[in-house]
Amino acid sequence: MSGITDFDALRRAMAENSERPEGPARNARAEELLAEAEKLGIPLAVVEALGHQLKVYNYSSEKDKMFVPFARLLRMWDERPEDFDEYEVHSLHWVFKWMSSGMLDQPHVPLASIEKWLGEMEHRYRLAGHSERAVRSAEFSVAAHVGDVPRAQRAYTAWLAADRDDMADCHACELHGQGWWQAEQERDAEALLLWRPVLEGEFTCAHEPHTVLASSLVPLLRLGRTDEARANHLRGFRLVRSMESMRGAYADHVEFCALTGNEARGLELLAERPAYFTDSGHPRSRLEFLSVVTLLMERLDEVGLGERQVPGPAGRTWTALELAAHARAEALALAARFDERNGTAYVSERARARMAQRPLVDRLPLGVRAAVRPVAAPAAPVVPVAVNDAAEPDLPALLAAARRLSDTLRPNAVEAWAAVSRAAEGAELDARDRAEIVDHEAMDRGPEGAELFERAAELYAEAGDPGEALAARTRAAYVRALAGRVDEALAAVAEPYDRVLALYADDATEVRQTASVLMGRARILMRRVHEANESAEGAGQVNGAVEEAGPAGESGPAGGGGSAAAPSGETVLGDAEAAVRELLALVGGYSGADVRIASREAEARAMLAELAVQRGDLEGAVELFGRASAGFVGAGLPWFAVEYEARLAGLAHHLGDIAEAERALRAALEHGGAQLEAVGRAQLHLQLGEVLGGRGLSVEAAEHALEAAHWADEAGEGRTLGAWARHQLGGFLLRQGRWAEAAEVLESALPDLTAETHGDGAVVQTQWWLGDCLSELGEHREAAERRLQAAETARHWPEQHDHATLAHLAAESLGAAGLPAEADRAYARAGELWRSLGNVHGLVRSLRARAWLALRADDGADAARELMAAAVRECESVLGDGVDDEEARERLVAELGHTHRQFGDLLARSAAEDADDDSIRAALEEALAQVGEAVAVFASLGDDALHSRTGAELAAGWLESDLSRPARAAARARAVLAAYDGAGDADGTAQERRTEAEQMLQVVEEQGAD
């Protein structure tokens, strides 16, 4: 049963249907409503129902259905124009523009018919007295579509020259079209200048800034303005995601992903809209969509993922290669139909050009949660080698290159020795060469390389280098310590230690070999320190970033993890310190060219820093970590400094030296360079972002949080570290008022944030921030949902202030969403919480909010009065009990003043328009009494409440005027003017109050004259 029994019911039903999401269901309902309208026997009802049907078709994927209802409307207008009211006459002429663009988008409509329609439109607009602006705009669209550039330019000029009238498209839509033409002519800067008022929110409409945001993406990328492009993608995609009719704009966002290294996100976008592959009601946007699908799929094939399964048309599974071929064929077939209709090759040329685009950015991090970038399995690293005339690897050259890299501690030394090993298969090598090959293979094995180190020691001994043999045995001992066998390692290093010292005393080995043994022993003793203090592990957030590439290519610095936990046994610390200082005595102050020896001194300083941390000497540790970092940088090994700069940053932050923490983190990022692993880079960026955010530098902090999210995803840590980075990024964007971007980022973080991994505080904060963003964006129902979710978690916390605040915010959102009953319950809950916390301000505000909600309800005036009166009583009760703190007392007095003022406003609005004069007068008298109380309360606070007092004074003046007391109203206006006597022009509120007071004087003078 339809329930459509009269014209008003039909109008209500059409209004309700207009609010439904775009799509076939809304279109079907419009068709039903037209049938119901025809039963009413009212011509205007049929006209309105046809107009409604035409509108929902236009804003859907079934645009091809528009022509039938429009033809019927036009026939009805020609036959009986008196059946149309003023609004429907305007609507009929407005929809002429939809018809012209609609015909252009349908390749089966002949071009001659479109040209004829343009003439018809021009004729009818002239008869109706409209400007030719809309006609010239439509002509421009036709000429641009067929590729007739001279005609398009003439029409474009005529379009802009014609007067704007009520048939012209809105400013936002016109600017989009004008900017689009500039971008088509490769004038990207001019396009963006035209679009600026739309992008900045000066002009908006149902589809703007949606399409401008989408259209701006490629021009911004071409101009290198990648930050703006990223922001416009996040803002714009949020707007078009749920709008079925915006397939063309959606395609622009897929294209953006394909051109910025965000192929994974592009696939996610395709998966969200499977119907876009096949919806045929708007062929032109389907051509655009299929063109960018081709672009994305061929890009996947270029990176070796042609066989990857991808989202595609329903009914079968697709690989990227298969979908690329399908989409290309479908797109070009559609383009050919347009070209056949147009008599040009322009549409096909543009489609092919779009498919052939090359990436404009290798990778543009977006900050949102997405699958790891799809890449093919990496090929084995290519090590450049010299070749002889027979194209065989030049083994001597490989050996020389590998030795040069290992002697200078280059990060890729181990890989170079692996290349030597491969090239040496079957070749005759001397013992020294074989020793170095085995030694570096052992280094590549990490804790599993002990036996290979022992084999290398044998080969070094065979080669006549006993010192290097002892160093290799020490490395074998150290990797046992890394495996947790510290006592075994100490026993194993005892003999090499004694023997190398004896050899060095006899000049039978060099400083390098001796330092290597002493360093290995010190590392083992440092491992014992950390084993004795397990709680110290993990305090350094980037310790794993460089560990596998430690000095001399060995198994890494001994620092491992460490923190400011309680010190371990003094004997353990003393043994380690003695070993480190013995090493420093050997290498300290070394000024030679051997970077290995210089690196030993730097690492020894870092060990002393770790020991200082264990003893609680954080200031000393900061100084020693700084010397260690400077030592590595001075030796030309900046990547080894990263770990210690990060440790220094953490300690400096703990000590409150924010500037030093920031300096160290920036240095760590700079010195890490390409050698820094993805997870380490993510952690450093995140730490720096948090430091900068703490200083209020939210713009730069957001940049580092964005980088952190990107590198966390690259490291496969998107669900852990990446989620935390997105949480932080969303907060930094929110601080800048970038609500849509922040909402996208926070929504993408939430699925991965868990109480177990990140803490329930992070989950609640993310939901809270997201609720704030959604509220600012006008998405009040969704904001309420997020705030209620956060409140439910906070409900279980011992401290209930957050719970109360979130309940209150959720109530605000529910009220703004048009859910008064739900809002009242949430405010009541918040009020109970505020009362339990002793927070009278929160309680009073919840009561006032409930009062305003009650006033909206039928017969709710009495309940509204009682709630507002209760708010007054709560303030007076606390003030009556006495408030010791003067500042708190003044805040509470101000709260009472605001409550009286709102009470007065509420009473004034409660006077029903259809009430008798005596009832209205009584309500206004009550209102005046409350506002008068507000004036008195604010006056008691002196100049601190001046603006509040004058605002209440003016409200009282208007009430006096409504009660026909011009003299009293004038007195109040003069009191306000006197209060601001001498106030400067810079005080905006003072200027507003003066202006209103002068208006009041003018009104009451006229009232008195009457």
Side-chain angles (χ1 to χ4, degrees), residues 288 448 460 500 545 573 739 749 781 798 967:
E288 294 168 351
E448 299 176 359
Y460 281 126
V500 81
L573 288 172
W739 314 113
R781 189 182 293 261

Side-chain angles (χ1 to χ4, degrees), residues 553-626:
E554 298 173 12
S555 300
S563 73
S568 57
E570 194 57 41
T571 299
V572 174
L573 288 172
D575 289 347
E577 183 172 351
V580 174
R581 293 200 179 278
E582 182 180 21
L583 172 62
L584 276 173
L586 177 68
V587 300
Y590 176 78
S591 59
D594 192 332
V595 298
R596 294 196 190 202
I597 299 175
S599 75
R600 301 300 188 199
E601 179 178 3
E603 188 177 348
R605 300 288 178 199
M607 288 178 175
L608 290 178
E610 290 286 356
L611 292 169
V613 170
Q614 297 296 329
R615 289 193 166 100
D617 180 12
L618 304 189
E619 291 84 356
V622 167
E623 191 268 336
L624 285 164
F625 275 131

Side-chain angles (χ1 to χ4, degrees), residues 29-350:
R29 178 59 176 157
E31 292 162 5
E32 293 173 0
L33 292 174
L34 174 59
E36 295 291 339
E38 291 170 335
K39 297 176 184 176
L40 296 177
I42 302 173
L44 183 58
V46 177
V47 169
E48 291 189 13
L50 283 166
H52 173 67
Q53 187 181 80
L54 202 157
K55 181 178 180 180
V56 299
Y57 283 155
N58 183 60
Y59 292 113
S60 78
S61 62
E62 298 179 307
K63 293 177 185 285
D64 55 335
K65 291 185 175 181
M66 288 192 301
F67 303 112
V68 172
F70 181 74
R72 184 176 174 186
L73 271 173
L74 195 58
R75 186 174 65 252
M76 292 175 69
W77 165 253
D78 288 339
E79 293 173 355
R80 290 180 56 84
E82 64 273 17
D83 289 343
F84 289 69
D85 63 14
E86 183 178 355
Y87 178 81
E88 293 304 327
V89 172
H90 177 275
S91 296
L92 177 69
H93 286 81
W94 182 269
V95 173
F96 266 89
K97 299 180 296 181
W98 292 0
M99 292 303 104
S100 62
S101 63
M103 291 177 180
L104 202 60
D105 295 337
Q106 304 289 334
H108 69 276
V109 178
L111 190 61
S113 298
I114 296 172
E115 295 286 3
K116 181 180 178 182
W117 179 257
L118 275 176
E120 176 77 6
M121 179 181 174
E122 184 172 9
H123 171 68
R124 287 182 179 265
Y125 271 42
R126 188 180 299 113
L127 287 178
H130 296 307
S131 163
E132 67 172 10
R133 188 178 182 95
V135 178
R136 298 285 77 81
S137 173
E139 182 189 4
F140 161 77
S141 297
V142 174
H145 172 67
V146 302
D148 187 345
V149 175
R151 183 189 179 192
Q153 191 58 55
R154 290 194 302 273
Y156 180 88
T157 302
W159 167 22
L160 270 61
D163 292 335
R164 277 189 60 82
D165 66 354
D166 60 1
M167 278 298 116
D169 282 342
C170 73
H171 280 292
C173 288
E174 283 207 330
L175 288 173
H176 173 249
Q178 292 161 21
W180 173 86
W181 179 242
Q182 299 302 322
E184 282 291 297
Q185 303 304 304
E186 299 184 353
R187 295 190 288 265
D188 293 332
E190 290 86 344
L192 289 160
L193 193 62
L194 282 164
W195 287 331
R196 182 186 294 170
V198 184
L199 294 172
E200 293 180 353
E202 183 179 347
F203 301 123
T204 62
C205 70
H207 278 187
E208 294 298 351
H210 313 45
T211 54
V212 165
L213 285 164
S215 296
S216 72
L217 297 174
V218 170
L220 284 168
L221 291 174
R222 288 195 296 240
L223 291 172
R225 293 159 61 176
T226 53
D227 288 344
E228 294 172 70
R230 177 196 301 111
N232 287 3
H233 169 62
L234 295 178
R235 288 175 58 203
F237 183 68
R238 183 175 189 82
L239 292 173
V240 304
R241 174 184 275 138
S242 62
M243 299 182 71
E244 183 194 57
S245 63
M246 302 204 71
R247 179 164 54 183
Y250 201 100
D252 291 340
H253 288 280
V254 176
E255 177 183 45
F256 167 83
C257 294
L259 297 177
T260 58
N262 286 287
E263 298 90 351
R265 180 167 171 82
L267 293 176
E268 291 176 355
L269 268 55
L270 296 186
E272 286 191 31
R273 280 289 184 180
Y276 276 172
F277 287 99
T278 52
D279 283 345
S280 58
H282 191 241
R284 191 172 180 181
S285 69
R286 182 164 181 254
L287 167 60
E288 294 168 351
F289 183 75
L290 291 172
S291 296
V292 300
V293 169
T294 305
L295 171 68
L296 178 60
M297 294 305 117
E298 293 184 352
R299 176 63 186 148
L300 287 173
D301 185 44
E302 285 178 18
V303 298
L305 291 168
E307 298 303 319
R308 178 189 175 111
Q309 187 171 323
V310 295
R316 57 162 288 186
T317 59
W318 297 86
T319 66
L321 268 176
E322 291 168 340
L323 185 57
H326 170 80
R328 177 177 283 275
E330 290 280 307
L332 292 178
L334 268 174
R337 290 177 58 199
F338 279 108
D339 285 342
E340 182 180 3
R341 188 268 305 272
N342 299 338
T344 69
Y346 185 67
V347 174
S348 293
E349 290 169 359
R350 289 188 69 246

Side-chain angles (χ1 to χ4, degrees), residues 719-721 723-724 752-763:
R719 295 183 179 277
T720 51
L721 186 61
W724 182 258
D752 293 326
L753 286 170
T754 65
E756 295 76 18
T757 302
H758 306 92
D760 56 5
V763 178

